[in-house]
Amino acid sequence: MKKFIHDFEVTHNHHITDDYFAIYLKCPVSLPQILPGQFAEVLVSNSTTTYLRRPFSIYDVDYKRNELSLLIKKVGDGTVALSKLKEGDTLNLIYPLGNSFSLPGGKKALLIGGGVGIAPMLLLSKLLHEKGYKPDILVGGRTSNDIVEPEKYKPFGEVFITTDDGSAGEKGMVTQHSLFSGKVKEYSAIYACGPDPMMKAVARVAAEHNIPCEISLENTMACGIGACLCCVVETIDGNKTTCIEGPVFDTRKLKL
Amino acid sequence: MKKFIHDFEVTHNHHITDDYFAIYLKCPVSLPQILPGQFAEVLVSNSTTTYLRRPFSIYDVDYKRNELSLLIKKVGDGTVALSKLKEGDTLNLIYPLGNSFSLPGGKKALLIGGGVGIAPMLLLSKLLHEKGYKPDILVGGRTSNDIVEPEKYKPFGEVFITTDDGSAGEKGMVTQHSLFSGKVKEYSAIYACGPDPMMKAVARVAAEHNIPCEISLENTMACGIGACLCCVVETIDGNKTTCIEGPVFDTRKLKL
Amino acid sequence: MLDLSVNVHKLLLKNPVMSASGTFGYGIEFDDFIDVNRLGGILTKACTSKNRDGNRYPRMAETPAGMLNSVGLQNKGVDYFINTIYPKIKHYDTHIIVNVSDSTVEGYMEVAEKLNQLDKITGIELNISCPNVKEGGMAFGTSCPMAGAVTKAVREVYDKTMIVKLSPNVTNIAEIAKAVEDEGADSVSVINTLLGMAIDAEKRRPILSTITGGLSGPAVKPIALRMVWQVSKAIKIPVIGLGGISNATDAIEFLLAGATAIQVGTANFVDPQVCIKILDGIEEYCNRHGVQDVKELIGALES
Amino acid sequence: MLDLSVNVHKLLLKNPVMSASGTFGYGIEFDDFIDVNRLGGILTKACTSKNRDGNRYPRMAETPAGMLNSVGLQNKGVDYFINTIYPKIKHYDTHIIVNVSDSTVEGYMEVAEKLNQLDKITGIELNISCPNVKEGGMAFGTSCPMAGAVTKAVREVYDKTMIVKLSPNVTNIAEIAKAVEDEGADSVSVINTLLGMAIDAEKRRPILSTITGGLSGPAVKPIALRMVWQVSKAIKIPVIGLGGISNATDAIEFLLAGATAIQVGTANFVDPQVCIKILDGIEEYCNRHGVQDVKELIGALES
Ligand SMILES: Cc1cc2nc3c(=O)[nH]c(=O)nc-3n(C[C@H](O)[C@H](O)[C@H](O)COP(=O)(O)OP(=O)(O)OC[C@H]3O[C@@H](n4cnc5c(N)ncnc54)[C@H](O)[C@@H]3O)c2cc1C
Ligand SMILES: Cc1cc2nc3c(=O)[nH]c(=O)nc-3n(C[C@H](O)[C@H](O)[C@H](O)COP(=O)(O)OP(=O)(O)OC[C@H]3O[C@@H](n4cnc5c(N)ncnc54)[C@H](O)[C@@H]3O)c2cc1C
Ligand SMILES: Cc1cc2nc3c(=O)[nH]c(=O)nc-3n(C[C@H](O)[C@H](O)[C@H](O)COP(=O)(O)O)c2cc1C
Ligand SMILES: Cc1cc2nc3c(=O)[nH]c(=O)nc-3n(C[C@H](O)[C@H](O)[C@H](O)COP(=O)(O)O)c2cc1C
Ligand code: FES
Ligand code: FES
C-alpha cells in the first residue's frame, strides 16, 4: 500500500478523561483507504524533549469528512504535548502504515482491547460488522477510568468490560472474563491489543482453545517504514519488522 | 538587585508587523522594580530546537497591572516560537537582569535605537521624562517596516526617524541624521542599542563630540546570571560579563 | 547554471547529498516519499558475508535530540543481496554504494570481492566502526594498525571506489584517517555512531538488549563537524561528512568544514523527505550567495 | 527515614547532588534562586595558579539539546581565590570543592598546595580534561602516562579528597580511570565536555573564537552514562557522574550506572532551581520505590 505524508488540521481535541484523549484530524487531500490495525507516525512539534515520531493506531476514519482520529493515552512528554494541540493546529502524519487483521474463518469473533489498546478495535469491529460478522468486544482496564468510550463499539457488536479492581464490568483480567468459561468456543478468531502480559495471556488462552489469534504489537519504533530495523519481533521465521510486517501478527508465529 | 524566576501569563501577543511582535506578560506576584536596560531570560518551551533561554530587554512595565512586555524580532526558531504564544499561555522568566543606564549630566539626552534595539529605550525615555530630563529619541531601521511603534515614545520626548532606504524619516544611517550636524552638542549623554556596526558608529561620533555614551550590548548568553562567563566583552579593565556587569557599558571603557 | 556535482574519487555524484547506511533501507522504502534518483548516492544497509539476525529487541532508545540503536548488522548476507536485493535496486539512476561489515578481515574481503562483480554498485563503504556487534565492528576502527590492515586487505580484492567509515569513539580520529589513507582508501566517511547507553530508571534496567548502542541524530552534530574538520585537514582523499545532519544549513556547515559530500541518517526517520529538502536548500543557499559551483564551498571555512 | 547521604572517599555528602564546575559560579550566583546549603556539594569554577583572561568572545554556541563553550578557564588565580572569594563562600554549609586547572604539572601542584591550607575547602577536582586551552588542559586527560603523572604529583602535595575529572575524548576511558586510581586519586568525575564545533553557515565562519569548544547538556547524556558505567566497573574508587543531567530521572540513571554522586552542569542555565528539583525528585523516587538508603541505588542496574 502506498504511504503518504501529510499535514493534517486538528478539527477537535477531545479530552475524554485526564489520561485519555481523542484527536480528530482533517486530511488536506482525499484520504486513502485505511485498514483496521494500521497506524500513523506522528511528528510532535510542540515538545522540546520529543525527537522521533510517535506511532499511534488509527482509531476511526470518516471518509466523508475526510477525517481520521487517534485515541491516545498520556504516558510521556510526546503524548502530553499532543494533548495540548488545539483546533486549527497542524499535525504531520506518515500513514497508513503496517499490515492489518485477517478476516475470521467463521461468523463470530472476539476483539480484546486493554486500556488504550482498544484503539485499533474500533475500525476492526466496524469492518467485521459491515461484512456480516458478529464481533464481541471485550474491553479491559485497570479501573473504570481506563475503559475509554466503550459506547463507540455498541453499533457494531456486543461490548463486555473487565477491570482489575471491579470498578466497571467484571472484576479481573480480560482472560478471566466469563466469556472464556462460556461461549469462547464459538469464536473463530480472537484479536487483541494491549499491554504485553495481557497479550501473552490472550495468546495462551487462544492456543488452549485452538482459536486463531492475532495481536497487534506496540514495539518501539524509530522510522515506521521499514528502514531502520529497530522494531523487530522474533518469529519462527526469524526477525520481522513490526512496522511493515506487523503490527498485527498471528500468535502462533511469534516467540512469545 | 534580587533576581526572580516566575511563570508569567501571556495576556496579549501583539503582532506589530510580520517581523516584530510585543508580548504582554502578567506577573503572578508583585513585580519588583525594573530599571531601564535590564532584561529577562526567557524559557522557550514550545520549540523543539531551542535549548537555552533567550535574553530580551524589558520593553515596558505597568506596575499597576503587574505586567511587563517584551518587544521581539523574529530571527530564528526561538523567537518564531515565542511569536506563536497565545493569551493564557505561560512563559517562564528570570528577571530583572543586568545593570542599567546612568543619568545624564545635563538636561538633554539622545536615545538611539536600531531596529529592535529600540526596546530598552522606552523605559529609559520614560524615566528621563519623569525625572525632568529632555530625551530625544532617534529610531533607525533598514526600512519603514523596522521602525516599530515609534508613537510609544512621543509622550516622553521628541522622536526622530532614519531608514537606510529613506522609506521613513531621513535617509541614511542613524549617525547621518541631521541631529548630528545640528544640535548634537546640546546632549549631555547618548544612549544606544542596536546592531554592532551602528554601535561602533555611535560610539565614534559620541567620542568626536566628547559626549558620554552608553550602549547596551546583545552578546550571546548561556545563563544570564553571571555563572558561565560566556557573554564577556573586552574592556580596558579586562573581560566583563555582559549579563551582570552589563548589558550597558560606557563606550570609553570598551575595546570596540 | 549552478553546478551541484562533486567527485568522491572516481565517483561523480550529481550532488553532494547521500543517504546514510542503515537509515535508508535500500532506497525502496522511500520511493513513496521522494524521487530517490535525485540523490547523489544511496548507502545501503550493512552487508555481511553471512546472514545475521542482529541483536535482540529492544534495539533503540530515544535520547535528547537523538537516538541509540543496536540493530547489529541484521541482513541476509551478501549472496542474498546479490540475488534478491540487487535486481530490485539496480534501476536507480544514482550511485548505489554498499556498506560492508563483518567480524573478520576475511569476511570483509569476501563481501567486497563479490560486490566487485556488480556493475551498478559503484563503490563500497567499509564499516569498521559499528559499535553494535560483539566481534569485529568498532574494534577495527579504533586502532590504526587494525584499521590499516582491513583497508589494505580489502583494497587487494576491490577495484572500485572504496570509502572507509570511521569511528568517532577514538582519541585521535585524524590518525586513523591517515592510516586508512595510507593503505589505499579512496575516501573516508566521518562519523559512525558514538557509543552510548540508556537506562529505564523505573525498571532499573538498560533499555537496549545490548546495554550500550550507537548514538546518532542532531545531538552528535557538533562532534561530527569537529571530526570532519580535523580529518579533512589531515588527509588528501575526500571526506564524506555525516552525523546529525537534518537540514540544508547543517549540510553546508559540513561542506565548509571540509566534506566533499554529506550523508543524511537519522533525520530520514523524522522526515522521509528530508534528503530532497536538503538538496533544494543547498541549491537555494548557493543561489543566494552567488555560488556557481557547490565545490567552492568545500573546506571554505574562513578562520 | 530516608538516608540520602553518600560517601565520596572521606567526604560525607548530605545527598548525591552537586553542581558542576564552571556552570555554577561560586554558588553565590544562585543564592537568589535556591538554598545552596541544601546541595551535597559545590564544584567551583576552575582555579589556576595565575590570573587568566580566558578566550575571546564568542565563547558559546547553542547546539541541539546542548551547547559548546570555550570559556578557557577565565579566573583571577589561586591567590585571588583565597583572599577574595573564599571568605565570601566559606559560610556555606556544604562541601566546597575547588576545580583545579593549569598548563603545567607545577601549576596544578601550586594551586593544590595552597588550597590544602583552606579549612572549608574539603576537596579538589583536578581538571585534566579542559578542551578549551592551548596548553595542558585536555592533553593531560587523553593519555594514561600524563594523567597518571599529574595525579601523582598533586597527590604528593594534597592531603584531602582529590577527585580527578576525566575527558570523554578518548578511545578507552576506563584505562585512564585506572591510571589515575593507581596514582592515588580518591575519586573520578566522569565526564568533562566533548570536543565539538559550530559553524555559522551564512558567515562561513566558526562561531567560537577558538573554532572548537566543549559540548555539554542533554545531548551528551547517553555518552556520559555509558562512560560512567564503563569506569565504575573498572575501578574501585567512587565515580561522580555528570553530563547532561537535567532532572531526577537522569540523576537516578547515573546512580544506577554506578555513580556514587552526580553533578549538574548546563541544566543550571536553563533552570537555576534544577539542582533542588533533582534532589526533591530523588527523594520522591526513593519513597515511591521503597528505597530507604540512596546508596542502594548505586550501581544497582540489573542486566
Ligand atoms: C503500532 C503502534 C500503535 C500504537 N497505538 C497507540 C494508540 O493508539 N494509542 C496510544 O496511546 N498509544 C499507542 N501506541 C504507543 C505510543 O506510541 C506510545 O505511548 C508513545 O509513543 C509514547 O510517547 P511519549 O513521548 O508520550 O512517551 P515516552 O516519553 O516516549 O515514553 C513514556 C513511557 O512509555 C513507554 N513507551 C513509549 N513508547 C512505548 C511503546 N511503543 N510501547 C510500550 N511502552 C512505550 C516508555 O518506555 C516510557 O516508560 C502505539 C505504539 C505502536 C508501536
Ligand atoms: C541583553 C540582551 C537583550 C536583548 N534584547 C532583545 C530585545 O529586546 N528584542 C529582541 O528581539 N532581541 C533582543 N535580543 C536578542 C535576542 O536575544 C536574540 O534575537 C534571540 O536570542 C534569538 O533567538 P532565536 O532562537 O530566534 O534565534 P537563533 O536561532 O538563536 O539565532 C538566529 C540568528 O540570530 C543570531 N543571534 C542569536 N542571538 C543573538 C544575539 N544575542 N546577538 C546577535 N545575534 C544573535 C544568530 O547568530 C543567528 O544568526 C537581546 C539580546 C541580549 C543579549
Ligand atoms: C538505526 C541505525 C542503523 C544503522 N546502521 C548502520 C550500518 O548498518 N552501517 C553503518 O556503517 N552505519 C550504520 N548506522 C550509522 C549511520 O549510518 C550514521 O553513521 C550515524 O547514524 C550518524 O549519522 P546521523 O546522525 O545522520 O544518523 C546506523 C544508524 C542508525 C540510526
Ligand atoms: C560554560 C561552561 C564552563 C565550564 N567550565 C568548566 C571548568 O572550568 N572546569 C571543569 O572541569 N569543567 C568545566 N565545564 C564542564 C562541566 O563541569 C561539565 O563537566 C560538563 O558541562 C558536562 O556536564 P553538563 O552536561 O551537565 O553540563 C564547563 C562547562 C560549561 C558549560
Ligand atoms: S520502525 Fe524502523 S523498521 Fe520498523
Ligand atoms: S551569560 Fe553566563 S555569565 Fe553572562
Side-chain angles (χ1 to χ4, degrees), chain B residues 51 222 227-230, chain D residues 19-23 43-47 59-60 67-74 99-101 125-132 165-166 189-194 214-221 224 242-246 263-269:
Chain B
Y51 172 59
C228 74
L229 304 185
C230 286
Chain D
S19 59
S21 175
T23 67
L43 282 288
T44 69
K45 65 178 69 163
C47 183
R59 294 176 169 186
M60 106 69 192
M67 64 176 277
L68 291 165
N69 89 81
S70 60
V71 170
L73 307 181
Q74 178 179 334
N99 184 262
V100 175
S101 292
E125 183 182 58
L126 285 194
N127 175 7
I128 58 165
S129 43
C130 180
N132 298 321
K165 187 163 179 182
L166 304 184
S189 42
V190 177
I191 59 175
N192 209 315
T193 53
L194 279 139
L215 181 67
S216 64
V220 310
K221 196 191 84 172
L242 76 157
I245 296 177
S246 307
Q263 294 178 16
V264 182
T266 308
N268 289 302
F269 304 158

Side-chain angles (χ1 to χ4, degrees), chain C residues 7-9 163 186-189 235-240 258-261:
Chain C
N7 293 286
V8 173
H9 183 242
I163 303 159
D186 298 319
S187 169
V188 292
S189 42
I235 60 175
K236 296 198 184 65
I237 53 175
V239 176
I240 301 171
T260 296

Side-chain angles (χ1 to χ4, degrees), chain A residues 228, chain C residues 20-23 46 69 99 127 165 191-193 216-217 242-244 265-266:
Chain A
C228 73
Chain C
S21 175
T23 67
N69 89 80
N99 184 263
N127 176 7
K165 186 163 181 183
I191 58 174
N192 209 316
T193 52
S216 64
L242 75 157
T266 308

Side-chain angles (χ1 to χ4, degrees), chain C residues 212-230:
Chain C
T212 61
L215 182 66
S216 64
V220 309
K221 197 192 81 171
I223 301 169
L225 200 56
R226 180 262 295 185
M227 289 186 165
V228 165
W229 181 70
Q230 289 179 324

Side-chain angles (χ1 to χ4, degrees), chain C residues 7-295:
Chain C
N7 293 286
V8 173
H9 183 242
K10 278 180 280 189
L11 304 182
L12 174 68
L13 308 184
K14 60 182 111 174
N15 62 63
V17 181
M18 302 197 271
S19 60
S21 175
T23 67
F24 205 71
Y26 295 101
I28 312 168
E29 290 80 354
F30 289 77
D31 278 339
D32 280 348
F33 305 106
I34 59 171
D35 178 2
V36 172
N37 299 304
R38 285 192 60 199
L39 299 182
I42 309 171
L43 282 286
T44 69
K45 63 178 71 166
C47 182
T48 54
S49 56
K50 302 277 167 317
N51 173 76
R52 282 183 183 241
D53 292 334
N55 296 315
R56 292 181 65 113
Y57 178 85
R59 292 177 171 187
M60 94 87 183
E62 192 182 53
T63 64
M67 63 177 277
L68 291 165
N69 89 80
S70 60
V71 171
L73 307 180
Q74 178 180 334
N75 81 106
K76 295 212 162 83
V78 63
D79 294 331
Y80 182 88
F81 174 80
I82 293 173
N83 298 323
T84 311
I85 298 170
Y86 180 63
K88 289 188 202 156
I89 61 174
K90 65 176 191 201
H91 69 275
Y92 280 129
D93 174 27
T94 184
H95 288 285
I96 309 173
I97 300 167
V98 176
N99 184 263
V100 174
S101 292
D102 219 276
S103 307
T104 62
V105 173
E106 294 69 35
Y108 279 101
M109 290 171 71
E110 182 187 336
V111 179
E113 205 166 358
K114 286 180 173 168
L115 293 173
N116 207 18
Q117 314 305 320
L118 303 183
D119 276 359
K120 286 297 302 285
I121 303 301
T122 48
I124 57 173
E125 183 182 58
L126 285 195
N127 176 7
I128 58 165
S129 44
C130 180
N132 299 322
V133 284
K134 281 214 191 78
E135 289 156 22
M138 196 171 89
F140 285 111
T142 51
S143 97
C144 290
M146 284 186 77
V150 61
T151 306
K152 185 175 182 186
V154 176
R155 179 75 294 175
E156 274 163 22
V157 298
Y158 193 75
D159 303 329
K160 293 186 267 182
T161 298
M162 178 174 77
I163 303 159
V164 180
K165 186 163 181 183
L166 304 184
S167 171
N169 301 293
V170 296
T171 310
N172 188 337
I173 193 168
E175 238 172 55
I176 312 262
K178 264 185 273 179
V180 304
E181 177 182 44
D182 287 346
E183 296 299 353
D186 298 319
S187 169
V188 292
S189 42
V190 176
I191 58 174
N192 209 316
T193 52
L194 280 139
L195 195 63
M197 180 170 173
I199 291 176
D200 184 328
E202 290 302 314
K203 301 200 185 111
R204 301 198 196 173
R205 298 178 61 88
I207 294 182
L208 300 174
S209 70
T210 47
I211 306 181
T212 61
L215 182 66
S216 64
V220 309
K221 197 192 81 171
I223 301 169
L225 200 56
R226 180 262 295 185
M227 289 186 165
V228 165
W229 181 70
Q230 289 179 324
V231 168
S232 70
K233 288 193 306 173
I235 60 175
K236 296 198 184 65
I237 53 175
V239 176
I240 301 171
L242 75 157
I245 296 176
S246 307
N247 53 48
T249 310
D250 292 344
I252 286 158
E253 290 167 22
F254 277 80
L255 298 178
L256 293 170
T260 296
I262 58 102
Q263 294 179 16
V264 183
T266 308
N268 289 302
F269 305 157
V270 176
D271 180 358
Q273 301 175 319
V274 73
C275 284
I276 297 300
K277 288 179 188 165
I278 289 173
L279 179 52
D280 292 343
I282 292 175
E283 199 167 330
E284 185 271 329
Y285 177 96
C286 288
N287 291 333
R288 190 156 46 81
H289 284 260
V291 172
Q292 313 246 310
D293 185 339
V294 77
K295 290 183 275 298

Side-chain angles (χ1 to χ4, degrees), chain A residues 39 54-57 71-73 75-79 116 119 217-221:
Chain A
F39 66 99
R54 294 291 189 263
F56 299 101
S57 301
L71 177 69
I72 300 179
K73 180 174 183 184
V75 298
D77 291 354
T79 46
V116 78
L217 298 179
E218 299 203 341
N219 284 13
T220 48
M221 296 182 174

